[in-house]
Amino acid sequence: MFRKLLLATGIAAALLAPVAASAQDVKSRIIRFGYGLSESSNQGRAVKFFSEEVSKRSGGKLKVKGFGDSSLGSDMQMQNTLIGGAQEMMVGSTATLVGVVKDFGVYDLPFLFNNEKEADAVLDGPFGEKLMKSLSDKGLVGLVYWENGFRNLTNSKRPITKVEDMGGIKLRVMQNPVYIDMFNRFGANAVPLAFSELFTAMETGTVDGQENPVTTIQSSKFYEVQKYLTISRHVYSPWIMMASKRWWDGLSADEKKILQEAAVASRDFERKDSREASAQSVAYLKEKGMQINELSPAELERMREMVKPAFDKYAADGGAEVLKDLQAAIAAARK
Ligand code: TK8
């Protein structure tokens, strides 16, 4: 009798299992996912990975359609479209989120992180999580951070071996007061501009230079319009993957889980891929004719000294608490 029962429950379980899997509450949906870089960039590769993961995990029902090259708008425009609910997802810089949640500017203060490992620990830990969660009152759902990377300087005027060489250079920066303040302190002429307008601005001489990770300098072909590359690693820049809260709130628990898990998988893929690509980029850019130099430790120290007041200014402008929390999180990551 007992054995019969066991057998019966076994059969029932076997019959139920596939039913449970297909009974996941998942609708057929098209998810428009916008990003700024090209399809062949580290960003583009990771969007493709995310799309494939979501498709696998949803039995093909959730279709993530990637739109690269800012074809759905600049980072800032997309943020607003997500808030309005007219676009589902995006990945972009954290720097341009300052208009939504001011505290995001804290990541842009210079020379905070020494390496990628510290950045991963802080971004994926309680500090990064808390900041990401603060977006939900503003109509955005932050899912994961990807790596944009350590930023370096390029320009078409002259090699930069000391801070003074930045004097008078019209330097495009992200639309964020921390960047404007920092580069003006270095003596450059900071020009805030959307990334989508950057190549043309350099080509036409509206700006002389910009700063971004080497992977972006490669994938956006900035070497075609910029002669000098200075390895300065002045800021570690994250990207953040976000969904429209209006749209997200209408998803089932199963759908949210699929997207969340695929986002985490894409984060791990993206960081590994970006780091591998980054290691190749300098040689590539040299081959493309860029003249490359690295700032000396002594010069970097001078720069650190010069921008100290930027930290005080940031704290005085309402950022004291978030800055203190971030510094504590970095200190903890170093232990
Ligand atoms: C791409 C941007 C870019 C960022 C910038 O949309 O604006 O310079 O570094 O990666 O988010």
Side-chain angles (χ1 to χ4, degrees):
M1 177 69 189
F2 184 59
R3 280 177 67 168
K4 263 192 192 156
L5 194 68
L6 257 188
L7 193 68
T9 38
I11 291 167
L15 285 173
L16 274 173
V19 176
S22 63
Q24 263 195 336
D25 185 6
V26 179
K27 286 208 181 81
S28 286
R29 296 179 190 272
I30 306 249
I31 302 168
R32 286 161 296 182
F33 190 119
Y35 60 101
L37 301 193
S38 70
E39 221 181 290
S40 62
S41 67
N42 53 338
Q43 204 176 43
R45 289 192 295 272
V47 172
K48 184 160 174 278
F49 178 94
F50 176 68
S51 169
E52 287 166 0
E53 276 303 299
V54 170
S55 173
K56 257 190 252 163
R57 289 162 195 259
S58 66
K61 282 186 171 169
L62 299 180
K63 290 194 177 63
V64 175
K65 261 188 78 69
F67 292 87
D69 287 314
S70 308
S71 57
L72 297 183
S74 67
D75 285 3
M76 264 167 129
Q77 287 167 334
M78 287 196 288
Q79 287 157 21
N80 288 328
T81 318
L82 257 62
I83 291 169
Q87 180 186 324
E88 292 75 31
M89 295 187 76
M90 68 171 286
V91 66
S93 182
T94 51
T96 40
L97 277 173
V98 287
V100 182
V101 171
K102 201 175 168 205
D103 282 352
F104 270 95
V106 76
Y107 290 130
D108 302 305
L109 287 162
F111 307 115
L112 288 169
F113 296 102
N114 288 330
N115 53 54
E116 288 85 356
K117 211 171 147 229
E118 286 175 12
D120 291 355
V122 170
L123 293 167
D124 302 344
F127 178 88
E129 277 287 311
K130 186 177 166 202
L131 201 46
M132 203 150 67
K133 291 248 160 64
S134 70
L135 288 167
S136 68
D137 297 342
K138 308 285 179 178
L140 295 168
V141 177
L143 291 168
V144 284
Y145 293 101
W146 286 359
E147 173 157 299
N148 187 353
F150 280 101
R151 306 179 77 88
N152 301 297
L153 290 159
T154 68
N155 83 96
S156 57
K157 290 281 181 208
R158 63 186 90 101
I160 293 168
T161 56
K162 53 184 188 313
V163 187
E164 286 72 18
D165 296 331
M166 269 190 252
I169 285 185
K170 283 179 283 173
L171 190 85
R172 177 271 177 176
V173 294
M174 290 192 278
Q175 293 143 297
N176 165 309
V178 178
Y179 277 97
I180 299 170
D181 183 47
M182 169 176 21
F183 283 101
N184 285 337
R185 281 176 203 276
F186 290 146
N189 198 343
V191 183
L193 199 68
F195 184 84
S196 48
E197 291 168 47
L198 177 52
F199 189 93
T200 309
M202 292 190 290
E203 195 174 31
T204 57
T206 308
V207 298
D208 306 315
Q210 64 87 43
E211 41 86 57
N212 253 299
V214 284
T215 41
T216 298
I217 298 166
Q218 174 173 353
S219 64
S220 293
K221 299 192 163 66
F222 288 168
Y223 52 81
E224 289 181 356
V225 288
Q226 299 277 276
K227 175 77 183 160
Y228 305 102
L229 165 62
T230 304
I231 305 296
S232 49
R233 294 167 63 90
H234 49 273
V235 172
Y236 177 90
S237 219
W239 278 323
I240 184 168
M241 188 202 279
M242 297 183 292
S244 158
K245 177 111 185 352
R246 268 202 186 176
W247 170 73
W248 182 262
D249 287 348
L251 297 178
S252 72
D254 288 337
E255 290 169 333
K256 287 178 186 164
K257 188 162 179 272
I258 288 168
L259 292 169
Q260 243 147 4
E261 289 176 355
V264 170
S266 78
R267 173 190 74 197
D268 297 344
F269 168 86
E270 194 273 346
R271 285 180 182 159
K272 187 167 179 285
D273 178 62
S274 291
R275 284 162 198 175
E276 283 166 9
S278 181
Q280 313 289 325
S281 282
V282 172
Y284 180 91
L285 295 170
K286 203 168 177 183
E287 206 183 289
K288 288 288 175 190
M290 288 194 97
Q291 192 178 315
I292 306 172
N293 71 290
E294 218 166 299
L295 281 180
S296 70
E299 199 53 33
L300 288 169
E301 198 43 48
R302 279 187 70 213
M303 287 169 74
R304 265 180 202 269
E305 282 300 316
M306 273 177 101
V307 288
K308 269 195 180 148
F311 283 74
D312 302 334
K313 182 173 188 295
Y314 184 82
D317 280 353
E321 199 179 316
V322 71
L323 176 57
K324 196 177 97 256
D325 289 350
L326 175 55
Q327 283 170 329
I330 295 172
R334 275 181 195 154
K335 276 196 188 140

